[in-house]
Amino acid sequence: MRPSRLAWSSVLLACVAFATPAAAQGAGPRPPGVPRPAIGLGVRAFVSFDRLSMTASQSFDAVLDTHTFTAPGGGVDVTGLVKGVFARVAFSRASADGERAVIVDGRAVRLGIPLRVELSPVEIGGGWRQPLDRRARVVGYGGAGVLLLGYKETSDFAKPGDDVDERFRGWTIFAGADVDLWRGVMAGVEYQYRRVANAIGEAGVSQAFGETDLGGSVLRVVFGFRR
């Protein structure tokens, strides 16, 4: 039996609607109570402001008088890969100035030699996003990934071998939530735990304190858009 003209028209309309979801969404605002479509690729691009607290707190306190950093950065999440699955690439950068030090009787003694420490982490990972309300204005998420950490120590009067410029590999796990403020403009907060084992501890103050991990905890605030 040949399909009717109405059946062919219905199939054609369904194909057009499936192939062009963005155009259908852009035709006008969603009616109240209608959830955001959960199918199809999307993007979540953001700038970030991190508060990083280092696990090797004694080592950083000894040379910088602090083990916390403010780290601006940014990233992109590709969403909707398979239902709520997303992939992420993100980066940030932190730096602080202090002095080289030695440990004498368990206490740090500054040497008067200026020291600059720089951290440049890159995150490559993914996770799962899940709407927390009916209209999907608030979305929670969690995930994990590989952490590629650039670490530098530089001094104006460094002897050969004193400066450090290394890259280390570790991992990160994270969880957070964001809210759609207005037409895809969003803000959110995220917590991360990072571990970069056996990156330090072979010399200097980190060896004296027995600290080897360049990881830490991160409180992140993000602003951006999601589509």
Side-chain angles (χ1 to χ4, degrees):
M1 182 175 64
R2 297 178 60 186
S4 68
R5 182 177 299 177
L6 178 60
W8 279 116
S9 300
S10 300
V11 171
L12 179 60
L13 289 174
C15 290
V16 172
F18 179 79
T20 58
Q25 294 176 34
R30 293 189 306 276
V34 176
R36 183 188 301 273
I39 299 175
L41 290 176
V43 65
R44 176 180 180 265
F46 59 89
V47 295
S48 59
F49 301 90
D50 294 354
R51 187 65 171 174
L52 170 60
S53 179
M54 303 300 295
T55 299
S57 58
Q58 291 179 287
S59 298
F60 283 93
D61 285 341
V63 297
L64 303 176
D65 275 335
T66 184
H67 61 275
T68 61
F69 294 82
T70 299
V76 175
D77 293 347
V78 179
T79 60
L81 296 176
V82 180
K83 294 185 178 180
V85 175
F86 71 92
R88 164 179 293 187
V89 176
F91 67 93
S92 59
R93 184 178 180 277
S95 63
D97 296 318
E99 295 181 14
R100 293 195 180 273
V102 295
I103 305 303
V104 178
D105 295 329
R107 301 185 64 180
V109 177
R110 299 288 183 86
L111 300 178
I113 302 173
L115 173 69
R116 185 170 184 81
V117 174
E118 298 179 32
L119 299 166
S120 303
V122 175
E123 308 156 37
I124 303 173
W128 180 276
R129 290 175 60 83
Q130 177 65 46
L132 300 180
D133 66 336
R134 186 180 178 188
R135 298 184 63 187
R137 291 190 64 248
V138 182
V139 180
Y141 61 89
V146 174
L147 187 71
L148 306 176
L149 178 66
Y151 179 76
K152 289 185 179 182
E153 293 181 4
T154 54
S155 293
D156 293 337
F157 308 105
K159 297 179 181 179
D162 284 348
D163 284 348
V164 176
D165 188 355
E166 299 282 353
R167 294 205 71 86
F168 304 101
R169 181 178 296 178
W171 53 265
T172 178
I173 56 175
F174 56 87
D178 55 53
V179 58
D180 188 353
L181 300 176
W182 181 75
R183 294 189 178 183
V185 177
M186 65 86 187
V189 63
E190 177 178 311
Y191 174 80
Q192 285 193 20
Y193 175 76
R194 298 171 175 174
R195 181 162 173 78
V196 186
N198 302 317
I200 55 176
E202 295 184 355
V205 295
S206 61
Q207 182 183 46
F209 289 127
E211 295 179 321
T212 63
D213 187 3
L214 272 180
S217 59
V218 178
L219 182 61
R220 169 175 290 175
V221 177
V222 301
F223 300 94
F225 69 90
R226 65 190 196 195
R227 293 289 187 271

